[in-house]
Amino acid sequence: MRKVEEFMRKHNLGVGDLVRILKWEGNELLAFEGLVMPPYELSPGETLTIKLDNGYNIGILIDAIEKVEVLEKAAKRPRMAFQEVLPRKEGLPNVTILGTGGTIASRVDYKTGAVHPAFTAEELAKAVPEIFEMANVTPKLIMNILSEDMKPAYWKRIAHEVAKALNSGEDGVVIAHGTDTMGYTASALSFMLGNLTKPVVLVGAQRSSDRPSSDSAMNLTCAVRMATSDVAEVMVVMHGETSDTYCLAHRGTKVRKMHTSRRDAFRSINDVPIAKIWKDRIELLRDDYRRRGEGEVGVDDRMEEKVAILKAYPGVSGEILDFLVDRGYKGVVIEGTGLGHVSQDFIPHVERAVQEGVAVCVTSQCLYGRVNLNVYSNGRKLLRAGAIPCEDMLPETAYVKLMWVLGHTDDPEEVSKMMLTNYAGEITPYTRFDTFLR
Ligand code: DAS
């Protein structure tokens, strides 16, 4: 245990306590008053951090502290509740909301500045009471991470939690998730959840629920509405335009976060969204979606994790691909330029990779449109080298899919066949003209 934790335990200090510290500065004793902040987990733990009245944080060397006095204990924060269930209303559908973290599930505690998961049933009800009018909602916090920290092991955990909820009779599942890598998780669940018979909806927020411009309440309301719909697919529900008019339900394998901060950051790429969700209704935009049905939802979470994405760019050196092959990577998705191209100098490295049993898949960094390696000579050379062109798949979807495929087979023929099989709408038969930057 670090010095700061020992000190806090010895003096019964808790995060948010208002304290008065006397500390030596040379031979002068100085007094500081402020709120105890959570110790920064990556620091050596030699200092106690307090937030002064002016909002600034200061670190005080533990060894220099002469005296600490607790002036006021932090208001007891509601215990993080798991699965607090409000009284169920007959006739309403049952929806589980799985919390994984991210902005939607947090609020800034302005007293301490710390960000806390706000995920008890009461806090949800306070934040978004409408959802309890639409469904019997059971919130369950299964992890609390920023989605840039997501990893395949967590995708598996989420998949099993989703299947458990659906197979226990829930009518749909919502997953509150960070926005940064939501598309990756949506793709992973799309491949892992077999025989999906009910809606699975990922939802996030670009602004935390305690800010006036927050999108979290409307996103969550629309997500719960979509989770009670007839669409038995993995979807992402986020704002459809910057103002609070409607959300869009995007197919999980065709959605991408396309803006760092706009509330309508999420777009379907090479595809038409499944639905528009208004405050009071769902407007379906297509009829070729998977319908709600009966039957057990399975989880097939076999994944090969030694897979990487490599972006092609002028001057890219083939030694990067050599490095991956030498380090035992089993698959590489190349984000090629244009129709899926890499420089001619790069192609011998692709040949080597394929000869050593590494699956090399090609997507396009244009994102929109589809790869075609038959048009230019470099494309044709790539084909001859054994690269697998991935049609109109997003690079990140191809990355997740290649992990899942390699979790099932390492036979090159079978890998190619599975990569070009459409499992969850990740490949469309042709690119509709009206799907560009819509
Ligand atoms: N860091 C971002 C994430 O967790 C916050 C958010 O957008 O939800 O993806």
Side-chain angles (χ1 to χ4, degrees):
M1 186 184 293
R2 298 178 300 173
K3 207 175 270 187
V4 61
E5 274 91 15
E6 261 168 27
F7 183 83
M8 288 180 71
R9 172 180 288 193
K10 181 178 165 203
H11 298 279
N12 184 28
L13 299 185
V15 170
D17 288 359
L18 179 61
V19 294
R20 189 161 188 275
I21 306 264
L22 291 181
K23 70 155 281 209
W24 287 106
E25 194 109 336
N27 54 14
E28 216 185 333
L29 206 49
L30 300 180
F32 294 90
E33 277 191 19
L35 299 167
V36 175
M37 296 293 286
Y40 182 47
E41 59 273 15
L42 300 180
S43 72
E46 303 282 326
T47 56
L48 176 74
T49 305
I50 63 171
K51 179 177 279 296
L52 304 178
D53 216 18
N54 59 16
Y56 285 97
N57 292 351
I58 59 164
I60 302 175
L61 213 56
I62 303 268
D63 292 345
I65 294 177
E66 173 65 22
K67 186 180 173 219
V68 57
E69 185 190 348
V70 178
L71 304 177
E72 183 191 342
K73 288 300 283 176
K76 274 270 157 277
R77 221 176 303 291
R79 195 180 54 75
M80 183 44 55
F82 288 80
Q83 277 186 310
E84 279 170 342
V85 179
L86 297 175
R88 295 207 159 202
K89 294 178 191 158
E90 278 309 304
L92 276 186
N94 301 317
V95 171
T96 286
I97 300 184
L98 299 176
T100 70
T103 295
I104 188 167
S106 58
R107 62 177 164 73
V108 176
D109 177 339
Y110 288 100
K111 268 192 81 175
T112 67
V115 175
H116 291 277
F119 226 84
T120 63
E122 286 81 359
E123 283 174 323
L124 263 181
K126 258 188 306 196
V128 198
E130 307 89 294
I131 58 174
F132 293 93
E133 301 309 314
M134 284 187 280
N136 295 310
V137 172
T138 304
K140 180 178 181 185
L141 189 69
I142 56 174
M143 61 186 80
N144 182 32
I145 59 165
L146 295 173
S147 78
E148 54 269 35
D149 294 326
M150 236 345 132
K151 48 182 78 160
Y154 300 159
W155 295 338
K156 297 180 182 182
R157 178 101 178 278
I158 297 169
H160 284 280
E161 288 284 350
V162 167
K164 192 162 73 175
L166 294 179
N167 294 333
S168 69
E170 292 294 90
D171 296 296
V173 170
V174 169
I175 302 162
H177 189 290
T179 58
D180 290 9
T181 68
M182 192 183 286
Y184 291 82
T185 303
S187 287
L189 296 176
S190 298
F191 298 120
M192 288 183 186
L193 293 171
N195 187 37
L196 191 56
T197 52
K198 300 170 184 172
V200 175
V201 183
L202 289 96
V203 65
Q206 292 281 68
R207 317 254 163 79
S208 57
S209 49
D210 50 355
R211 289 173 55 186
S213 63
S214 176
D215 48 339
S216 57
M218 186 175 142
N219 289 352
L220 202 51
T221 308
C222 292
V224 170
R225 187 178 296 283
M226 203 63 208
T228 63
S229 76
D230 185 38
V231 182
E233 296 203 19
V234 176
M235 297 168 272
V236 164
V237 167
M238 292 290 284
H239 264 56
E241 57 180 13
T242 49
S243 48
D244 286 345
T245 48
Y246 63 88
C247 284
L248 284 174
H250 303 274
R251 184 156 278 156
T253 54
K254 299 302 269 185
V255 65
R256 200 171 197 272
K257 180 176 180 180
M258 295 298 281
H259 197 281
T260 54
S261 56
R262 278 174 64 124
R263 292 156 13 124
D264 60 345
F266 282 75
R267 300 295 160 103
S268 286
I269 308 292
N270 292 325
D271 209 7
V272 172
I274 295 174
K276 264 185 187 176
I277 308 114
W278 305 88
K279 286 226 171 71
D280 56 356
R281 71 188 193 288
I282 292 172
E283 178 194 347
L284 286 165
L285 301 175
R286 53 195 304 172
D287 60 6
D288 62 344
Y289 57 85
R290 190 182 166 89
R291 262 62 176 185
R292 180 185 287 273
E294 297 302 319
E296 191 92 340
V297 177
V299 179
D300 178 353
D301 62 5
R302 286 170 288 172
M303 298 286 267
E304 167 54 64
E305 298 192 20
K306 297 277 293 184
V307 175
I309 302 180
L310 191 51
K311 196 181 189 92
Y313 49 84
V316 62
S317 164
E319 70 185 18
I320 298 175
L321 183 52
D322 292 342
F323 170 81
L324 292 170
V325 175
D326 296 342
R327 297 297 292 261
Y329 276 74
K330 302 279 186 261
V332 178
V333 171
I334 295 175
E335 263 193 69
T337 56
L339 289 167
H341 298 135
V342 296
S343 69
Q344 55 189 340
D345 307 345
F346 198 85
I347 292 170
H349 301 269
V350 174
E351 281 163 353
R352 181 222 164 192
V354 173
Q355 279 154 16
E356 301 211 11
V358 176
V360 177
C361 296
V362 177
T363 58
S364 173
Q365 57 195 252
C366 298
L367 304 179
Y368 286 93
R370 62 195 326 121
V371 298
N372 184 343
L373 300 182
N374 297 299
V375 179
Y376 295 95
S377 56
N378 280 345
R380 287 196 292 275
K381 286 178 196 161
L382 253 183
L383 271 180
R384 281 199 295 277
I388 304 167
C390 287
E391 297 292 338
D392 65 333
M393 246 190 278
L394 280 167
E396 54 270 32
T397 301
Y399 160 71
V400 174
K401 184 173 181 179
L402 184 54
M403 293 170 94
W404 185 74
V405 166
L406 290 172
H408 293 71
T409 178
D410 58 6
D411 169 64
E413 293 292 308
E414 189 58 19
V415 168
S416 177
K417 186 163 157 278
M418 289 182 77
M419 281 305 289
L420 295 176
T421 298
N422 181 35
Y423 293 95
E426 72 274 16
I427 299 174
T428 60
Y430 63 93
T431 303
R432 285 177 46 161
F433 181 75
D434 62 350
T435 55
F436 182 52
L437 289 177
R438 53 178 297 125

